[in-house]
Amino acid sequence: MSKTIFTIFMFLVATVHGKKMVPCFFVFGDSLVDNGNNNDRDTVANANFLPYGIDYPNGPTGRFTNGRNVADFIAEALGFADHIPSFATANGDDAVVNGTNYASGSAGILSETGKEFGDVISFDEQLQNHQTTIARITSMLGSSRAAKKHLGQCIYYVGMGSNDYAAYTMNPTRPSPDQYASLLIDNYSLQLRLYGYGARKVAVFGLGSIGCVPAAYYMYGTLCMSATKTTSGVFNTKLRSLINLLNQDLVGAKFTYINTFGIAASKNSSFEYPNLECCTVTPGGTCVPLGIVCPDRACFAYFDGFHPTEAAAAVLAKRAFAARSPSDAHPFDIQHLVHAK
């Protein structure tokens, strides 16, 4: 592990003194936090081969990076001794109660997003999988009342939309940025009402610098696609407003917005290689299986054409957990979400 990552997470581990701050942590999302749910599915959207996982203790697991992802770092900051298991592998009772990661590479808010890559798990399907977990927790704890009380103390990570915008970019008859953002937000607003599942503390990550990734240069001849950048900005503005609305409408619920784009824009400038991928990539922007990787991975913001390195994920997780600036999170960061009443 690089000195930079070690320093960052000595701070986070010290924050919780080795004890879990919450009983469980649930993760919904795409390849930015997928930890193996796509491995055994009929899809090309997987990362269970080297050089992915080259720095992860267990090697390739399905994480789309060289080591830990954002959800892993947040789990560590929350005091979990182990990373949250994928839904595909969370068979033990302890794993189910401690939390589950439902994320799936190429998945989106819209059910059809990513299906051209095969059998990926949309947000709607991830929510269905969560119902299966809730049923198991209810059985273990003896009643739905006990299960809801337990779930109400947990932290929920939700980060979707990047792949919906990838699909938007490829659509020759795409609607206006405002129309598309409204379509996504309308769907998201229904999906985010995890309140009915017992959720009370939900951290929703906005879109990052999509369209401004290394793969954009190879695919479109530019390091930053202004159309996608503008459109995702419209989405983030509407998402922040939605978070305010959910906090007003759902009694006892606490939602918070994590400004992924703002954090990414500032953190990337701190890397020696902010616009280059670390691994040798395919025309599609993913790592070539068993391909060559850079030796100084802590100096790169991106591991492949789309996904952050472990070092970059560490920075995002740190600022989501303990905001460095008021703009990093609204209305509060994750450590304050834990204690929110």
Side-chain angles (χ1 to χ4, degrees):
M1 176 168 48
S2 73
K3 183 177 179 181
T4 301
I5 298 174
F6 179 81
T7 301
I8 288 171
F9 275 87
M10 280 302 292
F11 161 79
L12 292 182
V13 171
T15 301
V16 297
H17 304 292
K19 296 181 180 179
K20 286 184 358 180
M21 300 176 74
V22 293
C24 45
F25 179 38
F26 295 102
V27 180
F28 301 85
D30 51 30
S31 56
L32 294 176
V33 287
D34 186 352
N35 64 346
N37 283 305
N38 281 8
N39 287 356
D40 297 323
R41 302 178 75 89
D42 184 17
T43 175
V44 296
N46 50 49
N48 55 340
F49 55 86
L50 288 170
Y52 293 112
I54 189 171
D55 297 313
Y56 193 75
N58 299 331
T61 57
R63 289 167 170 81
F64 288 75
T65 185
N66 56 304
R68 290 164 288 178
N69 61 32
V70 173
D72 295 326
F73 282 122
I74 292 175
E76 292 177 16
L78 290 170
F80 287 87
D82 298 308
H83 296 152
I84 304 303
S86 65
F87 179 74
T89 61
N91 296 319
D93 291 342
D94 183 62
V96 171
V97 172
N98 280 311
T100 307
N101 184 324
Y102 305 96
S104 174
S106 291
I109 295 169
L110 303 179
S111 294
E112 63 269 23
T113 294
K115 294 302 183 182
E116 67 270 26
F117 300 112
D119 186 23
V120 301
I121 310 167
S122 69
F123 191 19
D124 283 335
E125 293 171 285
Q126 291 179 34
L127 292 171
Q128 291 171 17
N129 289 339
H130 186 51
Q131 291 185 58
T132 299
T133 299
I134 292 174
R136 294 187 64 183
I137 292 175
T138 301
S139 177
M140 291 169 58
L141 299 183
S143 70
S144 59
R145 181 177 180 180
K148 283 200 171 185
K149 181 178 179 180
H150 176 79
L151 294 166
Q153 301 173 66
C154 303
I155 293 293
Y156 294 73
Y157 170 115
V158 183
M160 304 291 291
S162 295
N163 294 306
D164 297 287
Y165 275 97
Y168 174 82
T169 301
M170 301 300 291
N171 183 359
T173 59
R174 55 181 176 265
S176 71
D178 188 74
Q179 288 174 327
Y180 192 65
S182 295
L183 170 66
L184 294 180
I185 291 296
D186 287 347
N187 279 269
Y188 218 13
S189 65
L190 299 176
Q191 296 163 328
L192 283 174
R193 292 179 185 271
L194 289 157
Y195 188 88
Y197 299 132
R200 295 295 181 271
K201 299 179 179 183
V202 185
V204 183
F205 282 63
L207 295 179
S209 53
I210 58 172
C212 300
V213 295
Y217 180 79
Y218 298 105
M219 293 180 175
Y220 309 108
T222 176
L223 276 175
C224 199
M225 296 181 63
S226 59
T228 306
K229 181 179 178 181
T230 301
T231 307
S232 59
V234 174
F235 174 88
N236 283 338
T237 299
K238 291 179 181 291
L239 178 58
R240 180 168 164 148
S241 297
L242 174 60
I243 296 304
N244 291 334
L245 181 63
L246 292 172
N247 282 328
Q248 292 171 11
D249 288 354
L250 303 177
V251 178
K254 301 296 180 183
F255 285 75
T256 196
Y257 169 79
I258 305 299
N259 182 15
T260 308
F261 184 89
I263 295 172
S266 61
K267 75 174 174 60
N268 283 4
S269 63
S270 67
F271 286 91
E272 185 176 352
Y273 305 104
N275 299 314
L276 296 177
E277 66 282 327
C278 172
C279 72
T280 303
V281 295
T282 67
T286 56
C287 292
V288 172
L290 302 178
I292 297 173
V293 295
C294 63
D296 49 349
R297 292 181 280 281
C299 298
F300 283 72
Y302 290 95
F303 188 61
D304 63 11
F306 299 100
H307 304 100
T309 56
E310 178 180 74
V315 177
L316 174 57
K318 178 188 176 182
R319 289 176 60 174
F321 187 81
R324 193 182 75 185
S325 163
S327 65
D328 286 351
H330 171 80
F332 31 62
D333 55 28
I334 293 174
Q335 68 174 345
H336 287 92
L337 177 64
V338 169
H339 302 293
K341 301 295 185 181

